[in-house]
Amino acid sequence: MSPWKNVSVLRKLVQLGAFLFLVYGGSLTGYYLEDKLSGALPALSCAYDMQGADLCTLIPFQHQMDHRLGEAIAGGGNLMLGLMPTLITLATFLILFAVLNKAFCGWICPLGTFQELLHNLGQKLGLQRVESLPSATVQRIRPVKWLILLLLVFGLPLLAGIGWVNHDLGDPFCKICPSRILTTLANAESTELYVDSASSSTLVLSILANLLFGVMITLALTVRQPFCRICPMLALHAVFRKLGMPRLVKHAVPRCDRCGLCAKACPMDIREIHSEMQKRDVTFEDCTLCGRCVEFCPDKEVLQLRYLGFPVFSADPAYFKQRKQAQRHWENTTLLDRRKSGTGKAGITPP
Amino acid sequence: MHNSVSAAGAMLLLALALTAPQPGAQSGALQNDNHTPLAAAGQAHSHRRGAMKLLLENAEGAQINLWKPDLTRLPLTIEHGIVTLPATGVDNYHALVIERDWGYLHETLIRYLYLHGKPSGHSTSELTAAEKSSFEIVPDPVPREHQHYRSDQQWRFQVRFKGAPVAHLPVELLSSYGSRLSAVSDERGLVELRLPDDFPQIETGRRDRRGAEFTLSAELSKGGITYQTRLYAEYRVNPSHWHSLELGILAGGIGMLAGGLIGRLAVRSSR
Ligand code: SF4
Ligand code: SF4
């Protein structure tokens, strides 16, 4: 299969371009926050990265909860005024989000790309990898991202602004976010890899941040997208996914019952793509619109990526055949030539 | 140190110090010290939207202008040695520019101040690029919005005369704790200086919220006129005094081991 026809290869190129731009593109956009593209990016491109081209929307949200809304509540001020900056950030986020929907995760996010590359490395090192996490595990993990969004992005910062918890908890998600450590390290800055003994809150959060970063690195070698599964941005995307123009659409056929290749291909282990037989819009809450399920669906047009209702990439038996072969070749080529290792058998792990 | 710069000490000078009208406002006594790019704004700039007062000494005959992010100027007056900065209603860096012209001597003082309000829609690079005085030392860059100068950090500045870089000119840094550093500008008028780590009685492992002032000064003679310029700024204790990289790496390493273990368990249970 020509690499230029392989959607996973094309996606990887887009991801690498986005990574380079978002992590190092500050020289093109400018140094100051006003110079950055949006200030409300729906992906974890970190504000701590001084060379970055944009910053994720979670940091202004935390900041506004703490310093605007929280302080307005505490001071008995005008709540609408306190909420206004958040509404402006949300509107900016939504304008961008409408264009790519959850594809910000599958195609743009530097942290998502990093985890995928690590998983590719695991494959090339011939490590045994998890094909799919057990359904029960996936179900147990899913609420965590909502908890993090509600508690760390909105709840604690708001309480810090009101004055009920200390200001070290004004930006708790940033304090544990792996993108902060990754993007600064990518710029040869070790300033974010620290344990902060300023207070018990900073001590706990900074230890947690480094542990999480370490866990993510080695776990991503064997499990696909480990951090994404608990990422609050994924939850935020889930809230607004009906507003996005790209969608994943399914026309279920009876054969779906016996197949399930789409679910195996999914890096987020969304089994509902396989089991859903009624709904047309299958952009589920954990979907990153990466399109792998469409690539590995063997039935014509059963799964489609659509933009404003127009199909842009559809499942196709001929594509499926070639893609499967390409995948087998990819799986069998490892740096350490440990051909029997890896998941391999369904031939549907990355690229 | 360059003689002409030190000689300036004997000349007429403006002395600028920020008063602390509210505890922890733009003075050295900071309320909080969180080095988060945005969250720090809440402490460093205190999110105050009201007027701010500045102390100005020996200021007879001085012209004071507050440059807004859109490069419009607000002329200010001094009353009893106090300059009141009005709330401009816009967010972002502003430049307080104080000039005095004695014919034979032209003095300039500049301070970049972060004021709060509605988004300005202008990049700080517009403010730094503008010619605010004939002879000025310009931060290149100013600490990004909501960040600060920190002790033991390397920062770059540019010396400009009538908007053009001045090469081979001595520049001196003086901190409120008495540290002096000097450097000479390169071909592009740039000087790089590492801010002194001179806060006394620092306790390793304990957060230190102190701030102090530094000034950068330079002097230039052109056409029989002496130009003196000073850039005033605040710097704060470097958080490396209570941040441990070694422990960070250790925690990251433990995390990696844990991740490897979890991965193995996951592989086993998925088979
Ligand atoms: S630390 Fe994470 S949440 Fe905070 S700005 Fe960076 S990417 Fe966004
Ligand atoms: S879910 Fe993954 S890809 Fe999406 S924003 Fe979070 S880290 Fe990035």
Side-chain angles (χ1 to χ4, degrees):
Chain A
M1 175 180 214
S2 155
W4 305 114
K5 287 189 181 155
N6 184 332
V7 171
S8 285
V9 173
L10 297 179
R11 189 169 65 88
K12 195 65 89 240
L13 291 176
V14 173
Q15 284 179 299
L16 289 175
F19 187 98
L20 292 177
F21 179 64
L22 290 172
V23 178
Y24 303 104
S27 48
L28 301 173
T29 55
Y31 174 77
Y32 300 102
L33 291 180
E34 276 290 353
D35 299 325
K36 305 300 173 192
L37 282 187
S38 70
L41 194 77
L44 296 191
S45 167
C46 186
Y48 289 75
D49 168 15
M50 296 296 136
Q51 313 306 324
D54 207 354
L55 47 138
C56 95
T57 197
L58 301 183
I59 190 167
F61 279 149
Q62 292 168 82
H63 178 66
Q64 289 152 358
M65 289 300 110
D66 183 359
H67 294 293
R68 295 298 181 88
L69 189 57
E71 284 177 9
I73 294 172
N78 184 331
L79 288 192
M80 204 50 217
L81 267 183
L83 201 57
M84 195 50 86
T86 309
L87 295 177
I88 294 171
T89 303
L90 184 64
T92 316
F93 165 86
L94 287 177
I95 290 169
L96 291 170
F97 184 71
V99 178
L100 287 185
N101 202 347
K102 292 171 128 280
F104 271 106
C105 285
W107 295 71
I108 304 291
C109 176
L111 193 61
T113 304
F114 179 65
Q115 293 170 83
E116 278 199 48
L117 291 175
L118 282 172
H119 199 74
N120 291 167
L121 179 67
Q123 186 273 323
K124 288 298 158 213
L125 292 175
L127 299 180
Q128 294 199 330
R129 288 161 298 132
V130 178
E131 188 181 333
S132 294
L133 286 178
S135 180
T137 311
V138 174
Q139 294 300 339
R140 243 179 279 134
I141 294 172
R142 277 183 182 167
V144 178
K145 62 180 180 295
W146 293 103
L147 265 180
I148 294 181
L149 179 71
L150 291 177
L151 210 67
L152 300 193
V153 178
F154 291 105
L156 284 175
L158 186 63
L159 294 181
I162 295 173
W164 290 357
V165 298
N166 73 55
H167 264 289
D168 287 331
L169 294 171
D171 58 342
F173 179 66
C174 284
K175 285 203 168 79
I176 62 157
C177 177
S179 184
R180 177 174 56 86
I181 301 177
L182 171 71
T183 54
T184 47
L185 280 180
N187 277 292
E189 284 274 348
S190 59
T191 45
E192 296 303 322
L193 189 67
Y194 57 76
V195 166
D196 183 345
S197 53
S199 70
S200 46
S201 320
T202 59
L203 186 70
V204 170
L205 288 171
S206 60
I207 291 175
L208 208 63
N210 295 309
L211 285 174
L212 185 62
F213 184 65
V215 167
M216 181 193 76
I217 289 181
T218 41
L219 194 55
L221 294 170
T222 51
V223 176
R224 292 182 283 179
Q225 308 304 101
F227 177 75
C228 290
R229 296 165 194 265
I230 59 164
C231 177
M233 188 67 90
L234 191 70
L236 194 65
H237 286 187
V239 176
F240 298 107
R241 66 188 191 273
K242 297 281 179 226
L243 303 178
M245 295 189 239
R247 301 280 176 86
L248 179 65
V249 172
K250 183 175 178 181
H251 305 260
V253 290
R255 219 174 86 111
C256 288
D257 253 352
R258 287 165 281 121
C259 174
L261 283 179
C262 54
K264 281 186 183 160
C266 174
M268 302 295 282
D269 297 320
I270 305 171
R271 289 187 172 76
E272 292 88 333
I273 308 172
H274 162 216
S275 58
E276 180 58 60
M277 300 299 280
Q278 307 295 331
K279 275 191 207 152
R280 293 285 301 272
D281 186 346
V282 285
T283 318
F284 290 111
E285 68 172 47
D286 277 2
C287 175
T288 62
L289 287 176
C290 66
R292 281 181 58 80
C293 53
V294 186
E295 287 189 274
F296 286 97
C297 170
D299 262 331
K300 195 157 181 65
E301 292 175 4
V302 166
L303 280 171
Q304 285 181 325
L305 282 179
R306 289 180 162 234
Y307 200 91
L308 283 174
F310 296 102
V312 282
F313 176 52
S314 302
D316 177 77
Y319 178 92
F320 168 74
K321 242 190 220 161
Q322 291 183 346
R323 183 66 183 83
K324 209 173 149 195
Q325 258 176 15
Q327 188 66 26
R328 204 167 287 141
H329 178 68
W330 165 262
E331 292 289 342
N332 287 335
T333 319
T334 61
L335 293 171
L336 304 179
D337 204 22
R338 290 154 69 180
R339 281 160 196 245
K340 290 205 178 67
S341 55
T343 58
K345 62 180 179 188
I348 45 175
T349 39
Chain B
M1 193 195 133
H2 193 254
N3 285 339
S4 58
V5 175
S6 62
M11 295 181 176
L12 284 163
L13 277 177
L14 299 162
L16 176 70
L18 289 174
T19 59
Q22 294 168 26
Q26 289 274 347
S27 70
L30 298 166
Q31 288 298 294
N32 207 326
D33 198 350
N34 179 335
H35 75 300
T36 307
L38 287 175
Q43 300 92 38
H45 311 296
S46 303
H47 279 259
R48 289 172 307 104
R49 276 139 206 278
M52 186 193 290
K53 291 190 190 308
L54 296 142
L55 201 66
L56 196 56
E57 290 172 14
N58 301 335
E60 316 79 54
Q63 278 197 334
I64 308 172
N65 279 297
L66 181 65
W67 286 62
K68 295 192 345 193
D70 63 0
L71 306 186
T72 54
R73 273 170 274 181
L74 219 58
L76 303 179
T77 50
I78 316 164
E79 269 175 51
H80 311 297
I82 303 271
V83 182
T84 305
L85 297 187
T88 61
V90 279
D91 226 83
N92 220 337
Y93 276 109
H94 294 57
L96 178 71
V97 181
I98 302 165
E99 291 176 291
R100 182 159 60 178
D101 201 347
W102 295 99
Y104 66 96
L105 174 68
H106 187 273
E107 294 169 282
T108 304
L109 298 186
I110 299 189
R111 183 176 194 112
Y112 291 84
L113 295 153
Y114 200 99
L115 302 182
H116 287 278
K118 291 198 187 107
S120 70
H122 290 270
S123 166
T124 303
S125 54
E126 295 171 39
L127 188 65
T128 52
E131 186 187 327
K132 295 169 290 297
S133 178
S134 41
F135 185 43
E136 59 182 317
I137 298 173
V138 186
D140 181 35
V142 184
R144 200 164 90 181
E145 299 92 324
H146 318 303
Q147 295 230 312
H148 316 283
Y149 288 115
R150 298 271 180 186
S151 57
D152 200 27
Q153 278 182 348
Q154 185 99 357
W155 285 93
R156 197 166 69 171
F157 305 87
Q158 190 179 43
V159 193
R160 293 201 302 238
F161 182 71
K162 304 215 158 126
V166 185
H168 313 301
L169 192 76
V171 173
E172 184 182 80
L173 180 146
L174 180 64
S175 81
S176 30
Y177 288 112
S179 301
R180 273 176 198 274
L181 296 170
S182 52
V184 176
S185 61
D186 67 10
E187 293 301 329
R188 292 177 297 154
L190 298 173
V191 280
E192 280 204 42
L193 287 155
R194 182 165 289 279
L195 300 183
D197 199 7
D198 59 355
F199 288 85
Q201 286 143 16
I202 289 205
E203 278 182 63
T204 307
R206 292 205 112 195
R207 174 159 47 187
D208 196 327
R209 292 162 168 161
R210 281 175 294 170
E213 294 282 308
F214 73 86
T215 58
L216 278 183
S217 51
E219 187 176 301
L220 181 71
S221 290
K222 285 257 168 163
I225 302 173
T226 302
Y227 293 87
Q228 289 179 346
T229 191
R230 286 183 169 211
L231 172 74
Y232 283 73
E234 187 203 37
Y235 70 113
R236 298 186 183 186
V237 181
N238 194 308
S240 64
H241 291 291
W242 58 95
H243 283 179
S244 166
L245 174 64
E246 293 76 14
L247 288 180
I249 293 172
L250 181 70
I254 294 172
M256 287 177 76
L257 282 177
L261 264 174
I262 300 168
R264 279 191 82 115
L265 289 176
V267 169
R268 231 179 267 163
S269 71
S270 74
R271 269 158 202 272

